Amino acid sequence: DAGVTQSPTHLIKTRGQQVTLRCSPISGHKSVSWYQQVLGQGPQFIFQYYEKEERGRGNFPDRFSARQFPNYSSELNVNALLLGDSALYLCASSIRLAGSSYNEQFFGPGTRLTVL
Amino acid sequence: GESVGLHLPTLSVQEGDNSIINCAYSNSASDYFIWYKQESGKGPQFIIDIRSNMDKRQGQRVTVLLNKTVKHLSLQIAATQPGDSAVYFCAEKRRGQGNLIFGKGTKLSVKP
């Protein structure tokens, strides 16, 4: 079975640009979460979506936005990129909304974003 | 700030020895804990989890211990192998929330 897939694998942008990252969850999974992992740190929660609705948001500025589509895939959008946005962006999917039960979040390989 | 942290940023062990990776958390509202393994260039991979109503859980070559009194979590890897070399993260989920809170990670290096 295919795991969580993310695209693109790598991306290089310049300051001020905008970027869209994509995630396809495991088949049957309805919840998608986004995390930012800066080099040498643990992942930091950005968003959680379930059934196309935002169900949680981390401490990130409004430049970060996301959405979930009817097929449960998701996009993360970051506007007005800053150097500090350089990181590995991880997508995780789970069967249900993780807050409602103990269910495992499966992570994708991530998109490596470099902002110059 | 972070409520989940690790005591040791790096750990070097001999192949075949047992490894113990420690983690501290500060929020008593956390009801679920997970250990993840992350290899270079890959996303975190689930290793083992434990609910707050448990003290110990065993998997294949791995054991997680939870001490709620001192808010401490540990991952024990038996007969450590070169393939275990990676960064290990503990993560917590707080009651009523769906997101995971990760610590900074411990890098495990296995010497042949």
Side-chain angles (χ1 to χ4, degrees), chain B residues 28-44:
Chain B
S28 57
S30 296
D31 60 355
Y32 181 51
F33 303 87
I34 314 102
W35 281 100
Y36 283 93
K37 171 186 180 183
Q38 188 173 27
E39 297 174 284
S40 181
K42 297 183 179 180

Side-chain angles (χ1 to χ4, degrees), chain B residues 8-20:
Chain B
L8 297 174
T10 61
L11 177 64
S12 184
V13 300
Q14 203 70 38
E15 181 179 357
D17 287 351
N18 297 334
S19 303
I20 299 176

Side-chain angles (χ1 to χ4, degrees), chain A residues 67-116:
Chain A
R67 55 180 176 170
Q68 187 177 32
F69 298 98
N71 66 354
Y72 303 112
S73 67
S74 177
E75 287 183 351
L76 175 70
N77 189 76
V78 186
N79 291 324
L81 285 167
L82 303 174
L83 296 179
D85 295 331
S86 295
L88 180 68
Y89 288 84
L90 296 162
C91 174
S93 76
S94 56
I95 293 176
R96 294 177 294 276
L97 186 62
S100 63
S101 63
Y102 301 108
N103 60 89
E104 182 181 340
Q105 291 193 19
F106 295 83
F107 283 85
T111 293
R112 172 71 63 186
L113 172 65
T114 301
V115 182
L116 302 177

